[in-house]
Amino acid sequence: MAERLSARQAIAIVSEDFRELAPPARESEPDGPLGWEGYDASRARAAERTGEQESVVCGTARVEGTQAVLIAFEFGFLGGSLGRRTGDRLEAAYAHAREHRLPVVPLVATGGSRMQEGMLALTQLQRVARQSALTRAAGLPQIAVVRDPTTGGGWATLGAGADVILALPGAQVAFAGSRVRPADADPAAYRAEAQMAAGSVDAVVRPEELRATLGLWLRLLSRPSTAAVAPPRALPTTGPATGPATGSGSPTGSATGLPATGLPATGWDAVRRARSPERPRAERYLDSCFTRRVALRGDRCGGTDDGMLCGFGEHDGRTVAYAAQTGTATRPAGYRTATRLIRLADRLGIPVLTLVDTPGAANDAEAERQGVGAAIAELFGAVAAARTPITTLVIGEGGSGGALALAAPGNTWATPDSYFSVIAPELAAAILKRPPDQAATTAEQLRIRPQDLVELGVVRGVVPVVGDPDAT
C-alpha cells in the first residue's frame, strides 16, 4: 500500500507559497440533509483529527514556477468523501481557475460519495463534471495526481476526467473501492501500475520526483502558440544524430549500400530505404527535435500501443505536441492515443508534429475486435477538425490509410528515406494477380518515391538531410 499523505502534505510535496481559497459558506441542517443520526458528531471528530473543516483543501500555488489551482483531498476526513460542502469548494476552485486563467491540479485521495448525504452527495459528481467541462472549454489544462486511495466517483470525475493523470506508486486507483469488489478479485488490478498498463494513467511517479514532473507538465501545457512547427530535417541513415534536426551533422554511408543522402532512383529503392533497419526511427527524431519531453500514454479505453509515441516537448523555446509511429503496424489503441493527443493540443492551442512510419494498420483479428476501423476514423476526424496547426513528416513507410490518418492535409513533408503508397507494393501485386517478382515493377507504377509524391501534390517537399552540404 502506498503512503497515505494528508492534504497539506500532498500540497507541500508539489508546491510553494500555497494560499488557501476562502471556502463558500453553507448553512447545514442538523445531521445533514438526511438527518443522519450522528453525522454532525462524525464531522466534528474528523475535523479534530485532521485539522480540516471539510474533505478537500483548495487554493493557489506555484509548481516549479507555474501558478495553478490545487485541489487536495483529505482522506482522513470521512474517507475524503464528497458531500455538498465539498461540491461548494470544488465549484469555487474551478471558477477561480477560469477567472484567473490557471491550470487545475486535483490531488485526489477519496473513497467516493458521502453516504450520510445520500443522493445529494452523489449528484455532486455531476456538479464537478460540469465545472471540469467548463474549464476544458476555456482551454485550461487539468492534470490530476491520484493518491492512495482514489476510488468511486472521485476517480470517475476529478481523476479519470483530467487531461493528464499522474499516479503515486502502489496507490489504489479504481472505480470499485476495496469493500465492494468481488471477493476473488486480484488486488493488483486495482493499483496505479495496472491502470497505467491499461492506458488509463499516463505515468506512475515517485513522490520525490512528483514536483519536477508535475511542474514540467504544467509548463508545457500552459504555453499556447499559433505558429506551425517547421518540418525537421532528415537524419542520417546511420550513426547518431550530431545535433538538432534543424542543425548540423555529417551523413554517413550505409552498410546495406543504400546512400545516406540523395533521392531513391526507383520505387523499389524507396521501399528498401524505408525498410532498412539502419534508417533512423521516431525515437531519434524526437530526441533531436526536443530538449525535454513528456509522454502521453494510453487511449483511456483499456489499451496502449508502444508503436505510437505521443506527448509534449520543448522545441525552439516553445511547446509542441507530437504523435509518432515507430515503424510497426499501428494498433487501435495507438490511433486512439494519437486522437487524444491531437484533441488535447487543439484545445490548448499547441501546434502538433506527427511522424509517419508504419507499414499500415494492424490487420489481425484482435485489431478488428478492438475496432481498428473506428479508431482510424476518429483520428482522421481529429486531424480534419483541428484548428491548431499540424505538421507531418514521413520518415519511413507510409502504408495506406493507416499512415494517412496521421498526416496533415496540405502540410505533409517527406524524407529521402521514405515512401507513401495506397498499399504496399507486394500487396498491390497480389491484388492485381501478378507474380511476387512483379512487386518492384508495381512499386514503380504506383509512383511512391518522395519526389513522385511532390510532383503529385501529395507532399509539399522533401526535407534535406542534416549536414548535407548540397542542402539549401
Side-chain angles (χ1 to χ4, degrees), residues 194-220:
Q195 294 289 1
M196 181 176 171
S200 296
V201 164
D202 291 290
V204 175
V205 185
R206 292 183 298 178
E208 61 269 26
E209 298 172 351
L210 184 57
R211 180 182 294 199
T213 301
L214 179 59
L216 179 56
W217 270 109
L218 286 169
R219 186 175 68 185
L220 289 173

Side-chain angles (χ1 to χ4, degrees), residues 150-167:
T150 297
T151 61
W155 166 236
T157 51
L158 291 131
D163 299 318
V164 176
I165 304 170
L166 309 177

